[in-house]
Amino acid sequence: MRYVSTRGEAAPRGFEDVLLAGLAEDGGLFLPESWPLLSTAEWRELRGLPYAELSARILHRFVGDALTLEELRGLTTATYSSFRHPAVVPLVQLGPRDFALELFHGPTLAFKDVALQLLGRLFDHVLKKRGERITIVGATSGDTGSAAIEACRDRAAVDIVILHPEGRTSEVQRRQMTTVMSANVANLAIQGSFDDCQDLVKAMFVDAPFRGEMKLAAVNSINWARIAAQIPYYVASALALGAPDREVAVSVPTGNFGNVLAAWAAKQMGLPIAKFIVASNRNDILTRFLVSNDMSARAVEPSLSPSMDIQVSSNFERLLFELLGRDPKATAAQMQGFRATGRMPIPDAAWRQATQHFQGFMLDDAGTLAEIAHLHEAAGYLADPHTAIGTAAARACAPTDPHMPVIIAATAHPAKFPDAVQRATGVHPPLPAALADLYERPERFTVLPNDLAAAQGFVRQHSRRNAA
Ligand SMILES: *Cc1c(COP(=O)(O)O)cnc(C)c1O
């Protein structure tokens, strides 16, 4: 299996290079040269498999000869045995045809764990084989930092340093990062804003000698391996609801477009997903695109669903490439135009093709609270604000075939957003037992001023890049 860049100026690569590089050197995103297609009989054979086995078999179609099926199975088994639910990604029925696909049973209570937990192990496996090490550096406003730290902790070939703005994350978010005592994890609290943290990280990556010396790497959401690791849960849930002999729809609370793109990739493999509902909060660039071909960036508005407070959905470029008939020049021109003007009108035929499969839906904060209350009353279900936008979208955009089930990606545990849930229902969602003592655990982090030299010194001190 080889991968091409959506902008066409980078040489095709194998899985290992795509995993380690993240972004292609021409600024594009990697996609498989062609989609692996499964027959009806092959889909049926996957029914009922344990999740770790299912995910190894699906991922094996994407890794080529980088890893054997046995090696992959070892990694997925180790990864998913740490999840708190024996089904790993259980389906919960909310209504006659609506099913929540709970993706939040990993260590940090959000769906990103499903992919990142595996990614940390994939990095380690590939780096050990090559005799290399990397230092992952990232900035967080609270949410993604803990998922990255949990993914990389105790990995032998990886060190991780995460910058957060001092005093500006929630206490749960900070503690999920700073109570990890692994030797390869370091937390840096910057006396400044999230933007200051992000600028420091960018400056470190731009400093070529520093970048080379530290072997800096990122685990951002454009990494193809992250998308690939999200495909198996759509397969598992669709098979459980009758695929390949029955069509399903999916409803996905969307920010960077990674999660819904994984569902779309499953369809390219032959899984019968008839409809993709793209659910957003007030930051609704994707909904505006799907309703009226209005892809135009606006200022980000803070909402009750902060993980979807995004105006530029980076993974959209992968769908755009397909909509434009896999034409890299046309894709690059569209993306450059978007960057320059903040707007991206898409050729009419391509937009119409998108609207055949995708439908957008927007819900504001008041609607989100009402939906959380509704789910609690109607189904006794506590949903976090992100998930609630997905369930409301599933009803509003229900497929015309009344027998077609809708799989709703439940992307965060309600205890991750307790204030909104309590406001809507009067119930304070408790943290799962594994995190119940979070407030008693000791913390470890260093506070530094917003200063590049100081931050680089900290990274240098914590990178074990020269260790044997
Ligand atoms: C990251 C995140 C999303 C958005 O997922 P994308 O893949 O970026 O579209 C939605 N909900 C939660 C809880 C998240 O953490």
Side-chain angles (χ1 to χ4, degrees):
M1 161 83 52
R2 292 179 74 71
Y3 291 84
V4 294
S5 163
T6 51
R7 304 204 188 168
E9 302 283 326
R13 295 285 173 73
F15 180 80
E16 280 187 26
D17 289 339
V18 166
L19 171 75
L20 296 175
L23 197 69
E25 66 265 26
D26 59 3
L29 277 58
F30 287 112
L31 271 176
E33 215 161 37
S34 63
W35 293 100
L37 198 63
L38 275 70
S39 68
T40 304
E42 286 174 315
W43 287 121
R44 286 195 190 123
E45 273 169 29
L46 296 173
R47 278 183 182 155
L49 291 178
Y51 188 71
E53 177 67 24
L54 177 83
S55 66
R57 293 208 201 170
I58 294 293
L59 284 167
H60 193 234
R61 306 266 179 162
F62 290 99
V63 303
D65 45 21
L67 289 95
T68 65
L69 182 58
E70 288 65 38
E71 286 173 318
L72 264 176
R73 194 180 278 135
L75 297 180
T76 58
T77 303
T79 297
Y80 296 120
S81 61
S82 74
F83 277 54
R84 293 182 309 275
H85 196 292
V88 185
V89 286
L91 271 176
V92 175
Q93 188 159 10
L94 300 179
R97 55 139 80 170
D98 292 346
F99 295 82
L101 172 60
E102 292 189 342
L103 304 173
F104 51 68
H105 295 286
T108 74
L109 314 182
F111 93 93
K112 291 184 181 67
D113 288 332
V114 181
L116 280 173
Q117 285 289 308
L118 182 64
L119 214 67
R121 287 184 164 83
L122 277 170
F123 268 126
D124 222 31
H125 182 90
V126 168
L127 289 166
K128 271 189 199 151
K129 207 164 67 181
R130 296 183 168 201
E132 294 173 12
R133 307 182 50 82
I134 53 171
T135 306
I136 289 175
V137 176
T140 186
S141 56
D143 221 27
T144 50
S146 57
I149 285 174
E150 284 293 341
C152 296
R153 66 183 296 173
D154 305 321
R155 304 270 83 87
V158 179
D159 294 311
I160 180 164
V161 178
I162 295 292
L163 283 65
H164 72 264
E166 187 196 15
R168 301 204 196 180
T169 63
S170 78
E171 186 169 6
V172 176
Q173 287 174 330
R174 188 191 71 238
R175 286 182 164 274
Q176 281 193 305
M177 299 190 284
T178 58
T179 58
V180 175
M181 291 296 154
S182 304
N184 69 329
V185 172
N187 280 284
L188 184 51
I190 294 294
Q191 293 169 323
S193 65
F194 168 59
D195 286 339
D196 293 333
C197 295
Q198 224 166 10
D199 288 345
L200 287 172
V201 170
K202 271 187 206 149
M204 290 188 209
F205 274 86
V206 168
D207 180 345
F210 182 78
R211 178 181 183 157
E213 187 195 346
M214 298 303 135
K215 309 218 166 52
L216 290 193
V219 278
N220 40 32
S221 74
I222 46 85
N223 194 307
W224 167 256
R226 266 180 81 168
I227 307 288
Q230 292 169 7
I231 297 172
Y233 52 69
Y234 290 109
V235 174
S237 53
L239 293 179
L241 293 171
D245 305 298
R246 185 193 197 193
E247 290 189 316
V248 300
V250 297
S251 174
V252 186
T254 300
N256 253 325
F257 208 72
N259 204 4
V260 69
L261 189 91
W264 181 85
K267 183 183 175 75
Q268 307 316 300
M269 299 175 73
L271 194 70
I273 303 179
K275 179 170 186 167
F276 302 83
I277 302 164
V278 179
S280 58
N281 61 29
R282 289 293 296 281
N283 300 290
D284 63 343
I285 182 168
L286 290 165
T287 301
R288 285 184 280 118
F289 163 69
L290 288 167
V291 169
S292 57
N293 199 358
D294 171 21
M295 180 77 90
S296 57
R298 296 183 184 162
V300 173
E301 286 182 42
S303 77
L304 292 175
S305 42
S307 301
M308 291 151 67
D309 291 348
I310 281 170
Q311 273 300 345
V312 177
S313 300
S314 43
N315 274 296
F316 181 77
E317 182 169 342
R318 290 190 159 108
L319 179 66
L320 180 66
F321 178 67
E322 298 279 354
L323 292 173
L324 297 174
R326 291 201 153 218
D327 178 343
K329 286 212 164 55
T331 309
Q334 289 276 356
M335 293 310 298
Q336 275 142 19
F338 187 51
R339 213 197 169 121
T341 64
R343 297 192 62 248
M344 181 159 59
I346 286 169
D348 199 55
W351 174 71
R352 279 180 199 287
Q353 201 193 323
T355 59
Q356 278 173 18
H357 302 288
F358 292 85
Q359 187 175 352
F361 175 82
M362 186 280 282
L363 195 66
D364 63 13
D365 279 355
T368 303
L369 290 171
E371 176 67 10
I372 296 172
H374 166 78
L375 283 170
H376 186 233
E377 277 157 29
Y381 192 74
L382 280 185
D384 99 286
H386 305 76
T387 302
I389 293 176
T391 60
R395 278 202 316 284
C397 307
T400 40
D401 173 357
H403 302 295
M404 188 186 294
V406 185
I407 296 163
I408 300 145
T411 52
H413 192 289
K416 189 141 191 172
F417 300 92
D419 298 341
V421 175
Q422 177 143 29
R423 239 168 97 191
T425 64
V427 178
H428 188 86
L431 280 168
L435 283 169
D437 67 342
L438 188 65
Y439 286 88
E440 280 89 64
R441 294 182 199 168
E443 291 186 82
R444 186 175 68 194
F445 62 97
T446 301
V447 182
L448 284 177
N450 176 18
D451 176 79
L452 180 60
Q456 285 183 318
F458 182 84
V459 171
R460 181 173 277 118
Q461 191 188 329
H462 286 88
S463 164
R464 300 170 300 168
R465 64 207 174 277
N466 297 322

